[in-house]
Amino acid sequence: MLLLAIDTAGADCSAAVYDTSSSKILGSVVDNIGKGHAERLMAAIDEALAQAGRPLSDVGRIAVVVGPGSFTGIRVGVAAARGLALSLGVQAVGVTTLEVLAHAFLDGGHSGPVVAAMDAKRGELYVQAFAADGNSLGEPQALPPQAARDLAASLSADLTGSGRDLAMGGEASAGADRFDISIIARLGAAKPLDAARPKPLYLRGPDAKPQTGYALARA
């Protein structure tokens, strides 16, 4: 089966074509653009398909990163994945940013449990714990840095992600989290056939708030 992986949850706008039978990436595009995912995503998908030498109609499943992460970026990716899945008549599945970070850490040769922690700003971290085999040990949540550190200590787990230094009592990491599109594809391929349709994973409301005091009176 051919799987299309999509990520717009962070600074990257990424797409990859993954052959599940050979476990190989056939084509991929990763653009570190920061903003403008809506304008770039469909072209990135076209470029990944061109690299793979396969038409969109060959795609049998779509995997998309559902968050937590960029509020607007997540909406762009999920909407695109669901729209493409509907038009192709195939399944779309969601992959979280936290499970991607955890699996990237475990792929590096670490053999114990891990807590993925992303800097969520405003004094919070997005956090989720995973066992050594990559299975989750709890639901994703927004926690203060000390609580994330306590969670890791209770599991004798390592910490990974942009929130690691904050959880350990240090300064915020200078770099943003990035999510390996090949891991997204692999995790998407492993999702069960009865997996729920992807929807944005928001652990709190958007940082941007509507302005007050500027509403026009209704006639």
Side-chain angles (χ1 to χ4, degrees):
M1 179 179 68
L2 212 62
L3 179 144
L4 174 64
I6 297 170
D7 170 38
T8 56
D12 292 334
C13 182
S14 305
V17 178
Y18 179 75
D19 184 351
T20 61
S21 61
S22 64
S23 300
K24 291 182 178 180
I25 295 288
L26 303 182
S28 67
V29 173
V30 179
D31 285 341
N32 187 239
I33 60 173
K35 297 180 180 179
H37 296 82
E39 293 78 14
R40 176 68 180 123
L41 178 58
M42 297 312 297
I45 291 171
D46 287 343
E47 290 167 23
L49 287 165
Q51 286 183 24
R54 303 288 288 272
L56 180 61
S57 58
D58 282 357
V59 171
R61 175 182 278 196
I62 299 172
V64 61
V65 179
V66 296
S70 163
F71 191 88
T72 302
I74 292 166
R75 293 178 63 183
V76 168
V78 170
R82 287 169 58 161
L84 287 170
L86 182 63
S87 66
L88 293 169
V90 301
Q91 183 186 25
V93 296
V95 176
T96 74
T97 52
L98 294 167
E99 64 182 311
V100 176
L101 291 176
H103 280 264
F105 183 81
L106 294 170
D107 286 352
H110 300 275
S111 58
V114 59
V115 172
M118 294 172 57
D119 184 2
K121 311 302 181 185
R122 294 195 283 175
E124 288 186 319
L125 307 178
Y126 296 139
V127 174
Q128 190 174 13
F130 295 85
D133 61 2
N135 287 320
S136 65
L137 296 175
E139 295 299 315
Q141 53 190 320
L143 295 175
Q146 183 61 54
R149 181 177 180 177
D150 292 344
L151 174 62
S154 71
L155 298 170
S156 298
D158 289 304
L159 280 153
T160 190
S162 62
R164 178 186 181 279
D165 290 344
L166 283 170
M168 297 301 293
E171 298 295 323
S173 173
D177 291 292
R178 301 183 70 181
F179 313 109
D180 189 323
I181 194 67
S182 65
I183 295 177
I184 295 164
R186 190 181 78 215
L187 292 174
K191 297 292 180 180
L193 291 175
D194 60 353
R197 189 171 66 160
K199 62 181 181 180
L201 174 61
Y202 300 133
L203 299 182
R204 69 180 189 205
D207 290 335
K209 300 294 183 183
Q211 290 181 313
T212 58
Y214 294 93
L216 296 175
R218 293 186 179 180

